[in-house]
Amino acid sequence: MTLAVPSQVNSLELRRLARPKALEVAVLESLVEFIDRAAINPGGRLPSERVLCEALGVGRSTLREALKRWETLGIIERRQGSGVYLRVKVGTNLVHVPLVLAKPSNVRSLLQILQVRRALEGEAAALCASSASDATVAKIGDALETMETAHAAGDGSEADWQFHQTLYHATGNPFFPQIISSMRDLLHQLWENTLKLPDFAAASFPFHRTMYEAIRARDPDTARAEAWKLIDSVEREIREAFPEESQS
């Protein structure tokens, strides 16, 4: 037997559920305008929660819920004891695409992530070679030198990540860095060497420079091929270390 529920109760509950969602969107839209007026660029720190609440005219819990959405999309980053930092550009004409992805739990999952990265990185390198400005290509070179210096000092993982971020931004296509930022936690499973392989990905290191040299030479086909070699060397290393787990 089904109990009848008065229509006015249903409508009240629907309004109650919908309101926070609409409010969250309104808060984020206002926050975009605030960031634009304050000229906060990626890497910059957002004002404190108190300042933002006063500026936007909302309570702290409402602000936190809105910021959680941005954090999930990789738009902001919370740093313990430091504050909230903007990771990617926001604007009224920009759309940030949410990716719903499961954390990699095994070798096969990591290999699947590499497949996605291979496709993205190959095209990003080719785009940079064909259309990036000389100044933008120079930024890729600067990031490469920083990475090589860090690598020579024994810890280049973060500089390596920044090099690839620079590459994606250099495409001039905002979807590349957005997608990669959304996948940051997944991709860092590779940079953090969760499989505990000795000298993991060392064989891929020289391909960073050959990829860059192809970009600088304005050779998109070679840039794409060198990017693929970089990813393929990592995939080969994983498959050789875990032959059984790597089987399709």
Side-chain angles (χ1 to χ4, degrees):
M1 178 178 176
T2 303
L3 294 176
V5 180
S7 59
Q8 65 268 27
V9 174
N10 279 333
S11 61
L12 178 62
E13 289 181 348
L14 287 172
R15 283 197 294 271
R16 187 187 307 141
L17 289 171
R19 183 178 176 277
K21 191 171 185 179
L23 180 58
E24 177 187 296
V25 171
V27 170
L28 291 176
E29 289 175 350
S30 296
L31 189 55
V32 166
E33 295 175 4
F34 177 87
I35 288 172
D36 186 53
R37 291 197 306 271
I40 302 173
N41 295 312
R45 186 172 66 178
L46 271 61
S48 67
E49 287 186 355
R50 179 183 62 79
V51 171
L52 288 176
C53 286
E54 291 177 357
L56 300 175
V58 297
R60 188 160 294 190
S61 61
T62 300
L63 175 68
R64 286 177 177 172
E65 284 302 313
L67 290 178
K68 272 185 187 178
R69 179 176 175 83
W70 271 11
E71 189 174 18
T72 301
L73 293 175
I75 298 172
I76 59 169
E77 175 184 9
R78 296 180 187 273
R79 299 179 189 173
Q80 188 67 32
S82 180
V84 178
Y85 289 79
L86 190 67
R87 288 176 55 187
V88 298
K89 185 176 179 59
V90 296
T92 54
N93 63 335
L94 294 178
V95 176
H96 294 274
V97 182
L99 294 181
V100 181
L101 300 166
K103 284 189 173 182
S105 58
N106 53 37
V107 170
R108 284 297 303 159
S109 297
L110 289 174
L111 290 174
Q112 289 169 345
I113 292 171
L114 275 174
Q115 289 174 350
V116 175
R117 187 180 158 202
R118 187 181 193 271
L120 290 171
E121 196 135 323
E123 291 312 304
L127 272 174
C128 289
S130 62
S131 61
S133 67
D134 291 343
T136 301
V137 172
K139 288 181 181 179
I140 300 174
D142 291 341
L144 174 65
E145 290 184 4
T146 299
M147 185 193 76
E148 289 177 337
T149 299
H151 186 269
D155 184 16
S157 60
E158 184 57 32
D160 190 342
W161 170 253
Q162 291 303 324
F163 168 79
H164 291 282
Q165 286 284 88
T166 303
L167 177 74
Y168 288 116
H169 280 281
T171 64
N173 183 332
F175 287 103
F176 274 99
Q178 279 188 54
I179 291 171
I180 291 301
S181 293
S182 297
M183 294 178 64
R184 186 179 190 276
D185 291 341
L186 301 182
L187 290 170
H188 265 261
Q189 300 289 318
L190 295 166
W191 266 271
E192 294 165 7
N193 188 15
T194 56
L195 298 178
K196 307 300 181 186
L197 295 174
D199 299 320
F200 180 56
S204 72
F205 187 73
F207 296 117
H208 292 77
R209 177 157 287 279
T210 55
M211 177 174 63
Y212 165 68
E213 294 295 347
I215 292 172
R216 190 171 66 169
R218 303 300 184 176
D219 184 346
D221 290 337
T222 301
R224 182 188 293 109
E226 294 304 306
W228 285 347
K229 288 178 186 178
L230 191 161
I231 304 301
D232 291 346
S233 68
V234 178
E235 179 180 347
R236 186 163 50 250
E237 187 174 349
I238 294 175
R239 288 186 181 278
E240 289 175 354
F242 302 93
E244 294 184 3
E245 293 93 329
S246 301
Q247 296 303 314
S248 300

